[in-house]
């Protein structure tokens, strides 16, 4: 019985990883600007989903919950002493990874978003890439909706003018 | 599909959450589940259970029983220097401490203490009993009090910092080594500065009450528990003192330097009160912010509150209550007079830099290198005649090799003082 439950859980998790895995990994990659770390965080995200699926209370959508875990893991990563030390000396020059060289530099949008401070990057990624609503973003990042709106406006203002034009914000 | 989504998905199309990654998640999940303790212990207890803690009186390990803890030695740049490690243990600077307390499935152990002058740094190893508890400890810091039998605690509880061990503790307490998982630990350190009395031989009492969440990201999170630890402090009492009684200019202000004292882990600078009063420099809350080359004096307390940051002090002081309220409202909304202001970013970005004079003390050595390790705590105490700036460093200082001390923009050669 228990084995069946576990198999069911693994099936559910596989469906979730198929559906959200790529976008979670890419979001972590832009957030952290480090492919290896992003891979770790994306895997850890689904591992947490596996472990805590029973705690998911349906107050939010599964997608919102998964993104909340991913964002929190990335934030935690950026709070580590190791990260801070690295950021202090290498920020802006971290992108030595072959993925980032080949993709992020080529794409102005990715580069610009990647350079944003974390709190702006979060809202841009969640709004435009994950296509969450303001309400959902507020839930993911633990802020009021008004704060999310204000942050989106400021995030857009920090981007290059030509990029601002492609980002429509209602 | 919007432009951002299109750009990310096309630009990063080769970045995929692969089947191999999925498989790793499933395998790791199964593994964690298999070693899950059947006896689930709630991290945040709904009803506080009877507090059960073990109170241990720490014992300082005698003599040269062992070298510094490997991790702590790395912090002090002594990992590869056994002779200095042995010397510092003999001098009393570093001492392994046998004190630990356990509550709610979490063990807090004093790993090592480092003490010299008026500064004590305690390194704590925090380890959770099982994974559920460990998960709860992510993004929390201990809420603690510190006191002494004889000395007066000056720094009001000190500050605590969580260190990344570099051994796999990225987001939780569990690490994986060669496919074998086991509970990991976190290392915290506490600074404490005493205002009077000698640390050497005094008994320190540390009380941790709950681990509380990061105020910005997990403000409501609490991992309950009480941990009490006591141990006798072993401190290095060696120091070098230089008397100056000369005037120096710091950021254009003139003040009289009385004395500089150096210990292996800290420095104390005494400034004549009469020469400094009225210039704003000795107010611990007044900081200097450099914004694109232009300096502003600003009020730290308000800055922390996201208040006056970057606003010229003279302007801020002249505000009426209504003007102040209006300015704060602007700042809270993200700008002041059209310019973006945010406390955290101002401390980090390239155009805004905090350069508080007492936050910018550097020690220059004979070989021309500058000693300013990654972490320091600056506190200002006072005697009848002097303000005393205390800086405690994480790092070991060879006192005999110090040539100059720089405070803000002022360089003070020790040769200009008379060694006591």
């Amino acid at each position: 019985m228990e084995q069946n439950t576990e198999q069911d859980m693994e099936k559910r998790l596989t469906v979730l990883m198929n559906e959200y895995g790529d976008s979670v990994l890419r979001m972590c990659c832009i957030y952290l600007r480090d492919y290896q770390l992003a891979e770790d965080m994306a895997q850890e995200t689904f591992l947490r989903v596996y472990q805590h699926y029973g705690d998911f209370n349906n107050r939010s959508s599964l997608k919102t919950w998964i993104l909340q875990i991913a964002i929190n893991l990335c934030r935690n990563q950026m709070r580590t002493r190791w990260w801070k030390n690295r950021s202090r000396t290498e920020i802006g020059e971290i992108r030595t990874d072959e993925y980032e060289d080949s993709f992020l530099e080529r794409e102005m949008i990715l580069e610009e978003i990647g350079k944003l401070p974390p709190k702006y990057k979060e809202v841009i990624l969640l709004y435009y890439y994950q296509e969450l609503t303001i309400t959902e973003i507020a839930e993911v990042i633990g802020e009021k909706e008004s704060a999310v709106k204000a942050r989106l406006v400021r995030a857009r203002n920090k981007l290059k003018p030509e990029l601002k034009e492609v980002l429509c914000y209602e | 599909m919007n432009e951002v989504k299109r750009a990310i998905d096309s630009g990063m199309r080769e970045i995929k959450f692969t089947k191999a990654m999925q498989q790793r998640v499933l395998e790791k999940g199964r593994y964690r589940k298999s070693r899950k303790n059947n006896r689930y212990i709630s991290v945040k207890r709904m009803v506080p259970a009877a507090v059960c803690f073990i109170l241990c009186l720490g014992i300082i390990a005698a003599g040269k029983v062992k070298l510094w803890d490997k991790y702590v030695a790395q912090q002090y740049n002594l990992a590869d220097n056994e002779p200095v490690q042995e010397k510092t243990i003999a001098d009393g600077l570093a001492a392994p401490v046998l004190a630990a307390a356990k509550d709610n499935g979490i063990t807090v152990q004093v790993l090592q203490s480092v003490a010299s002058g008026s500064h004590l740094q305690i390194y704590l190893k925090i380890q959770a009993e099982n994974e559920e508890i460990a998960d709860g400890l992510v993004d929390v810091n201990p809420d603690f009090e510190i006191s002494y039998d004889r000395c007066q605690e000056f720094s009001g509880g000190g500050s605590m910092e969580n260190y990344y061990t570099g051994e796999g503790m990225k987001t939780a307490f569990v690490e994986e080594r060669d496919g074998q998982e086991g509970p990991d630990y976190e290392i915290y350190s506490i600074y404490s500065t005493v205002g009077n009395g000698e640390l050497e031989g005094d008994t320190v009492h540390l009380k941790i009450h709950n681990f509380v969440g990061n105020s910005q990201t997990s403000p409501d999170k609490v991992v309950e528990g009480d941990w009490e630890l006591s141990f006798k402090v072993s401190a290095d009492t060696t120091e070098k003192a230089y008397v100056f009684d000369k005037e120096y200019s710091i950021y254009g202000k003139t003040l009289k330097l009385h004395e500089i004292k150096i210990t292996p882990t800290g420095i104390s600078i005494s400034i004549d009160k009469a020469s400094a009063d009225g210039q704003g420099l000795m107010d611990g809350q007044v900081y200097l912010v450099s914004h694109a080359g232009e300096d502003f004096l600003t009020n730290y307390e308000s800055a922390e509150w996201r208040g006056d940051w970057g606003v010229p002090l003279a302007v801020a002081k002249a505000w009426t209550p209504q003007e102040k309220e209006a300015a704060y409202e602007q700042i809270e909304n993200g700008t002041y007079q059209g310019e973006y202001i945010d406390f955290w970013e101002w401390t980090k970005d390239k155009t805004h830099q905090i350069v508080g004079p007492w936050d910018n003390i550097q020690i220059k050595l004979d070989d021309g290198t500058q000693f300013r390790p990654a972490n320091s705590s600056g506190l200002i105490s006072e005697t009848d005649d002097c303000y005393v700036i205390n800086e405690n460093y994480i790092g070991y200082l060879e006192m005999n090799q110090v040539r100059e001390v720089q405070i803000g923009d002022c360089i003070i050669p020790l040769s200009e003082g008379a060694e006591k």
Side-chain angles (χ1 to χ4, degrees):
Chain A
M1 182 72 173
E2 194 178 318
Q3 201 171 15
N4 283 341
T5 313
E6 199 163 315
Q7 282 174 353
D8 288 346
M9 179 60 230
E10 291 195 3
K11 278 181 190 165
R12 275 198 294 269
L13 185 66
T14 305
V15 170
L16 291 175
M17 288 191 287
N18 283 333
E19 191 167 354
Y20 301 118
D22 290 351
S23 69
V24 166
L25 176 59
R26 289 168 191 171
M27 184 181 78
C28 292
C29 201
I30 296 175
Y31 197 119
L32 297 168
R33 306 179 84 186
D34 183 312
Y35 176 74
Q36 292 303 333
L37 278 179
E39 193 180 307
D40 286 352
M41 293 306 106
Q43 289 183 67
E44 186 65 28
T45 298
F46 289 105
L47 196 53
R48 298 286 173 100
V49 171
Y50 186 108
Q51 289 178 282
H52 301 290
Y53 195 81
D55 302 333
F56 174 60
N57 54 19
N58 286 311
R59 271 192 312 191
S60 61
S61 70
L62 258 174
K63 181 181 178 182
T64 309
W65 182 53
I66 292 169
L67 293 175
Q68 189 171 28
I69 295 170
I71 289 282
N72 282 338
L73 287 170
C74 289
R75 285 175 171 181
N76 281 346
Q77 182 60 38
M78 294 176 83
R79 274 197 297 273
T80 60
R81 185 174 183 77
W82 172 82
W83 177 274
K84 285 175 186 165
N85 286 341
R86 186 183 86 151
S87 299
R88 196 162 43 231
T89 54
E90 298 170 31
I91 199 157
E93 298 165 349
I94 295 169
R95 295 162 39 205
T96 54
D97 187 87
E98 124 186 48
Y99 280 108
E100 291 175 312
D101 282 344
S102 57
F103 295 108
L104 296 185
E105 281 186 7
R106 207 170 60 200
E107 300 286 344
M108 184 263 285
I109 291 177
L110 301 187
E111 187 177 333
E112 281 294 299
I113 294 172
K115 283 194 301 196
L116 284 173
K119 68 182 184 181
Y120 297 127
K121 203 159 21 184
E122 280 171 15
V123 291
I124 291 282
L125 286 170
L126 292 171
Y127 188 78
Y128 291 105
Y129 182 53
Q130 300 292 355
E131 299 187 315
L132 297 189
T133 65
I134 299 288
T135 309
E136 287 171 328
I137 297 173
E139 197 171 323
V140 169
I141 65 172
E143 294 283 356
K144 290 179 183 166
E145 289 181 27
S146 57
V148 174
K149 284 180 189 170
R151 218 173 265 188
L152 266 173
V153 170
R154 286 183 210 146
R156 289 185 64 239
N157 288 339
K158 281 180 165 283
L159 296 169
K160 281 183 177 172
E162 55 266 40
L163 180 53
K164 265 195 268 183
E165 286 169 18
V166 297
L167 298 180
C168 306
Y169 171 61
E170 307 281 323
Chain B
M1 187 190 283
N2 69 59
E3 285 299 321
V4 173
K5 192 163 176 58
R6 189 175 296 120
I8 293 174
D9 281 337
S10 65
M12 303 176 86
R13 61 187 170 276
E14 289 176 33
I15 296 182
K16 287 182 179 298
F17 199 82
T18 61
K19 293 288 175 202
M21 291 182 204
Q22 292 189 10
Q23 199 53 39
R24 278 201 289 276
V25 170
L26 292 172
E27 284 169 8
K28 207 165 179 180
R30 280 179 214 131
Y31 179 79
R32 285 193 185 177
K33 209 158 192 168
S34 70
R35 49 183 290 277
K36 195 185 247 180
N37 191 335
N38 290 329
R39 185 170 55 89
Y40 179 79
I41 300 171
S42 170
V43 171
K44 185 172 181 177
R45 294 168 296 185
M46 297 302 288
V47 180
V51 173
C52 172
F53 61 81
I54 303 165
L55 176 63
C56 299
L57 183 67
I59 305 162
I60 306 293
K64 299 179 192 176
V65 175
K66 55 189 274 195
L67 295 173
W68 287 39
D69 171 82
K70 184 180 161 193
Y71 171 75
V72 182
Q74 279 172 355
Q75 293 295 300
Y76 284 79
N77 299 320
L78 291 179
D80 302 320
N81 198 335
E82 288 190 10
V84 177
Q85 287 191 49
E86 285 176 4
K87 179 184 178 299
T88 56
I89 288 174
D91 286 348
L93 176 66
V97 178
L98 305 176
K102 186 177 176 184
D103 189 21
N104 198 18
I106 298 165
T107 301
V108 177
Q109 181 198 343
V110 181
L111 199 63
Q112 191 140 22
S113 73
V114 178
S116 78
S118 55
H119 306 290
L120 168 67
Q121 187 144 18
I122 305 169
Y123 287 86
L124 300 170
K125 181 177 177 179
I126 317 280
Q127 191 156 23
E129 196 169 75
N130 65 30
E131 201 171 323
E132 280 81 5
I133 296 171
D135 284 348
L137 282 169
V138 173
D139 202 22
V140 291
N141 285 311
D143 188 4
F144 71 97
E145 291 173 19
I146 194 163
S147 62
Y148 298 84
D149 279 353
R150 295 196 311 255
C151 291
Q152 183 189 352
E153 163 69 3
F154 176 69
S155 55
S159 61
M160 182 168 271
E161 190 161 342
N162 168 219
Y163 290 98
Y164 176 62
T165 64
E167 293 177 357
M169 195 182 60
K170 286 174 182 168
T171 54
F173 277 40
V174 178
E175 67 170 323
E176 188 171 8
R177 289 196 195 101
D178 302 327
Q180 288 188 324
E181 288 202 15
D184 204 338
Y185 54 87
E186 292 209 35
I187 296 172
Y188 286 84
S189 82
I190 294 174
Y191 299 118
S192 175
T193 301
V194 295
N196 62 357
E198 290 294 324
L199 272 173
E200 168 60 23
D202 201 352
T203 299
V204 60
H205 306 281
L206 173 65
K207 287 184 186 178
I208 295 176
H209 173 64
N210 294 346
F211 283 78
V212 295
N214 180 300
S215 60
Q216 291 197 330
T217 53
S218 310
D220 301 325
K221 190 172 179 183
V222 177
V223 179
E224 294 178 347
D226 287 279
W227 299 264
E228 292 192 14
L229 305 124
S230 300
F231 62 92
K232 278 200 169 183
V233 179
S234 171
D236 187 341
T237 54
T238 56
E239 66 175 25
K240 285 209 162 237
Y242 301 84
V243 178
F244 292 81
D245 286 329
K246 288 178 184 168
E247 287 189 337
Y248 290 91
S249 171
I250 299 177
Y251 293 133
K253 315 274 183 186
T254 302
L255 46 74
K256 190 173 170 187
L257 173 66
H258 170 57
E259 186 181 60
I260 293 179
K261 274 186 191 172
I262 301 167
T263 74
T265 60
I267 184 167
S268 296
I269 299 163
S270 300
I271 306 284
D272 179 70
K273 266 184 180 174
S275 74
D277 281 344
Q279 297 192 77
L281 268 174
M282 294 315 303
D283 180 351
Q285 294 181 339
V286 174
Y287 273 53
L288 191 73
V289 171
S290 171
H291 170 212
E294 194 175 352
D295 292 342
F296 298 83
L297 276 174
T298 187
N299 184 292
Y300 177 69
E301 192 176 41
S302 306
E304 206 170 37
W305 185 85
R306 291 191 66 189
D308 297 354
W309 209 239
V311 179
L313 194 63
V315 174
K317 280 184 173 173
W319 277 338
T320 63
Q322 290 77 17
E323 286 171 331
K324 189 172 184 178
E325 196 177 325
Y328 284 172
E329 196 175 331
Q330 282 186 47
I331 292 164
E332 279 189 301
N333 286 327
T335 58
Y336 174 67
Q337 293 181 346
E339 186 182 356
Y340 175 76
I341 288 183
D342 182 289
F343 173 72
W344 291 107
E345 286 180 21
W346 277 60
T347 65
K348 286 179 186 169
D349 75 22
K350 289 174 183 168
T351 54
H352 306 78
Q353 186 185 10
I354 303 172
V355 282
W358 317 125
D359 199 41
N360 191 20
I361 290 177
Q362 306 217 23
I363 298 172
K364 298 191 176 185
L365 305 179
D366 281 337
D367 63 4
T369 57
Q370 298 195 98
F371 184 83
R372 192 168 193 279
N375 218 328
S376 67
S377 63
L379 293 160
I380 300 177
S381 59
E382 56 185 285
T383 64
D384 288 344
D385 303 321
C386 290
Y387 296 107
V388 184
I389 300 136
N390 302 289
E391 285 271 342
N392 185 30
Y393 295 123
I394 297 176
Y396 179 71
L397 182 61
E398 292 278 7
M399 293 182 290
N400 290 326
Q401 293 177 10
V402 179
R403 187 175 65 190
E404 294 171 350
V405 174
Q406 181 170 346
I407 307 172
D409 62 350
C410 176
I411 295 173
I412 302 162
L414 292 186
S415 57
E416 293 183 3
E419 189 172 348
K420 263 186 176 177

